[in-house]
Amino acid sequence: MDDGWTHHAKVRARESEGVMEVMVDGLSTQAKVYKPLIHEFFRKAWRGSRPAWGEFSVEIVMEYVGDPPWMDLDNLAKAILDAIKGYAFHDDAQVARLLVERRAGERERIAVTIRKLSDLSPWPRG
């Protein structure tokens, strides 16, 4: 069954109706590992939309099991925004709303949801 996800290594992504979701399996205490991991996914595996102009909402949720990893959420947000820049949007200055959250979950992962705010149309296809 096609669930709409594109997979590469620990990263998967999908898009539907103007919303892009990116999932990264596993956690690291070093935020800097996420930028090359996600960037490699988009460079090698992503065949979806091109970056768009306008304003965006980005939600980043770190789900952990047991004790939360020792990481500043602002560093995680910067690494994620740098990684998706050029794929979801042209520049992270286009992010008008940013929510970064750490919470207990059923598995360790980073979940990123990107929504276009300026209009409800989906990204241009590549």
Side-chain angles (χ1 to χ4, degrees):
M1 182 175 106
D2 181 15
D3 59 2
W5 291 99
T6 299
H7 301 263
H8 180 74
K10 295 181 174 188
V11 182
R12 66 186 191 272
R14 69 180 174 186
E15 60 186 348
S16 176
E17 300 178 15
V19 176
M20 180 186 290
E21 297 173 275
V22 179
M23 295 283 184
V24 181
D25 294 326
L27 292 180
S28 170
T29 58
Q30 298 292 314
K32 65 184 177 185
V33 305
Y34 295 108
K35 183 177 178 180
L37 187 67
I38 294 169
H39 189 267
E40 178 183 6
F41 163 81
F42 278 111
R43 191 174 57 83
K44 290 186 175 179
W46 186 244
R47 299 295 178 257
S49 64
R50 298 176 305 184
W53 294 105
E55 292 189 327
F56 290 84
S57 166
V58 178
E59 296 178 17
I60 302 168
V61 178
M62 172 198 291
E63 294 182 12
Y64 62 89
V65 176
D67 292 331
W70 189 259
M71 180 193 318
D72 292 342
L73 291 180
D74 61 325
N75 293 336
L76 176 64
K78 183 65 176 157
I80 299 293
L81 291 176
D82 284 348
I84 63 177
K85 179 175 63 179
Y87 298 100
F89 40 77
H90 294 280
D91 190 277
D92 51 8
Q94 293 174 253
V95 177
R97 180 179 178 268
L98 177 63
L99 171 67
V100 187
E101 174 178 11
R102 177 176 45 231
R103 66 176 177 224
E106 294 181 12
R107 71 182 101 174
E108 294 189 335
R109 67 181 176 184
I110 305 290
V112 183
T113 305
I114 306 126
R115 288 183 176 83
K116 196 155 188 313
L117 293 177
S118 55
D119 62 57
L120 297 177
S121 65
W123 277 272
R125 298 299 297 173

